[in-house]
């Protein structure tokens, strides 16, 4: 059973930056998927980005339109950590951010369907 633990949430002013981290444990996959989704009360879950950890060659990272060009996800050197770098933040980025993961076969664009999710970390963007 895979476990995910997020960290790095908090408050930031509009246009500022924040970096979230997610640590995965309890698995033995060489290749698997990790990503981020976000949740606002009363709204559907929204995908942020997803990627295939351990993939070789062609990039397998997918960004949803609302964050494209502003957010960047990147894996850690140990392949069990995923970072979300949030730049040029907007008030609409305010949400609970969840790390998500899935066993192979998997794809970055299906992050909303990933089986495993962490407990979440709150991000608040204020003007």
């Amino acid at each position: 059973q895979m476990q995910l633990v997020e960290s790095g949430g908090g408050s930031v002013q509009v246009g500022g930056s924040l970096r979230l981290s997610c640590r995965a444990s309890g698995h033995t996959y060489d290749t698997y998927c990790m990503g981020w989704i976000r949740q606002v009360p009363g709204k559907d879950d929204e995908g942020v980005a997803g990627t295939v950890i351990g993939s070789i060659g062609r990039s397998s990272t997918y960004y949803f339109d609302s964050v494209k060009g502003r957010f960047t996800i990147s894996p850690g050197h140990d392949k069990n950590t995923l970072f979300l770098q949030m730049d040029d933040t907007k008030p609409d980025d305010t949400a609970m951010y969840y790390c998500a993961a899935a066993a192979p076969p998997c794809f970055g664009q299906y992050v909303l369907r990933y089986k495993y999710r962490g407990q979440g970390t709150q991000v608040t963007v204020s003007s």
Side-chain angles (χ1 to χ4, degrees):
Q1 184 82 357
M2 192 182 304
Q3 292 89 43
L4 304 170
V5 178
E6 304 96 336
S7 61
S11 297
V12 63
Q13 290 191 323
V14 169
S17 297
L18 204 61
R19 191 190 199 205
L20 308 184
S21 301
C22 175
R23 177 76 178 173
S25 61
H27 74 93
T28 57
Y29 302 117
D30 290 327
T31 302
Y32 65 109
C33 281
M34 289 184 78
W36 294 90
I37 66 165
R38 61 190 185 184
Q39 193 177 82
V40 175
K43 294 186 177 181
D44 292 337
D45 291 355
E46 181 183 15
V48 174
T51 191
V52 179
I53 302 295
S55 65
I56 298 174
R58 182 182 174 186
S59 174
S60 53
T61 300
Y62 182 87
Y63 294 94
F64 286 73
D65 288 345
S66 60
V67 305
K68 202 173 290 183
R70 301 187 299 119
F71 291 9
T72 305
I73 61 172
S74 58
H77 294 298
D78 64 355
K79 297 183 180 179
N80 284 313
T81 305
L82 185 71
F83 301 102
L84 174 64
Q85 178 66 38
M86 306 170 60
D87 297 320
D88 189 22
T89 52
K90 303 176 180 181
D92 284 350
D93 295 325
T94 295
M96 183 70 81
Y97 283 72
Y98 294 88
C99 180
C106 55
F107 301 92
Q109 61 263 45
Y110 299 127
V111 63
L112 286 168
R113 303 181 192 175
Y114 290 178
K115 178 179 179 180
Y116 303 102
R117 289 190 182 182
Q119 294 299 307
T121 185
Q122 177 68 37
V123 171
T124 302
V125 182
S126 58
S127 55

